[in-house]
Amino acid sequence: MASIPFTFQIPFTSKPTNSFPSLPKLGSKFLGSQNSLSWSTPSKIGPSNGSRTRCWFKFGKNGVNAEGAGIYGSQIRDDFDRDDVEQYFNYMGMLAVEGTYDKMEALLNQNIHPVDILLMLAASEGDKPKIEELLRAGAKYDVKDADGRTALDRAVDEEIKQLILNFSVQKA
């Protein structure tokens, strides 16, 4: 990450008050600064030694994408664990809706792999990108919970069901 040098100066003034003689009176509401802040502008942005730089990284479809870089979407089934389930549960606001972790804990206590639990939760939320990521990682859509419901049964609408089925057919 590149840094850009700059100077930031805030002049401070203080005057004693009658009610609190030991405390300074601030000149304004902004930490005792005067009416204007003084900024020193850099002479140029970039390397200051006169050298030229060239970017060696690429963005977009001609460069490295997040999946190719191993950041997103390149996980395999065993890369997911209980913490991922809890993070997703919190991120999607399920804790706020449910009020407790009981639903999540019930799923985790059924000896269902975390990636399959995540698929069930994502299907119930209609989270298409997460569903695709999980199916690519090897999540199984036909795993049943204690109530006998699968990710397909939990899908919020037909579009999500079709997404799961189409992806599973393409992978086979």
Side-chain angles (χ1 to χ4, degrees), residues 108-150:
L108 287 168
N109 290 333
Q110 294 175 26
N111 292 327
I112 300 173
H113 195 283
V115 75
D116 299 327
I117 294 172
L118 284 167
L119 182 60
M120 289 178 191
L121 296 176
S124 67
E125 293 294 312
D127 188 351
K128 292 178 190 179
K130 190 68 171 179
I131 292 169
E132 291 172 352
E133 174 193 354
L134 295 167
L135 289 170
R136 265 190 239 107
K140 298 176 183 172
Y141 70 91
D142 54 354
V143 173
K144 295 181 180 184
D145 63 8
D147 299 328
R149 297 175 60 204
T150 65

Side-chain angles (χ1 to χ4, degrees), residues 1-71:
M1 182 185 310
S3 62
I4 301 172
F6 69 93
T7 304
F8 181 67
Q9 298 174 350
I10 302 176
F12 289 96
T13 60
S14 65
K15 296 178 186 175
T17 63
N18 293 337
S19 61
F20 298 106
S22 63
L23 296 176
K25 180 180 179 185
L26 301 178
S28 77
K29 294 179 184 178
F30 183 72
L31 299 176
S33 67
Q34 294 175 348
N35 290 338
S36 64
L37 296 176
S38 173
W39 288 85
S40 174
T41 57
S43 60
K44 63 181 180 177
I45 295 177
S48 60
N49 63 0
S51 66
R52 291 182 170 256
T53 59
R54 174 173 255 162
C55 294
W56 51 268
F57 48 87
K58 298 178 183 178
F59 295 107
K61 60 183 173 180
N62 295 330
V64 176
N65 59 18
E67 188 173 331
I71 299 167

Side-chain angles (χ1 to χ4, degrees), residues 75-82 84 113-116 134 137-139:
Q75 297 93 344
I76 59 172
R77 184 174 177 81
D78 289 331
D79 289 339
F80 294 90
D81 60 15
R82 295 176 65 94
D84 294 314
H113 195 283
V115 75
D116 299 327
L134 295 167

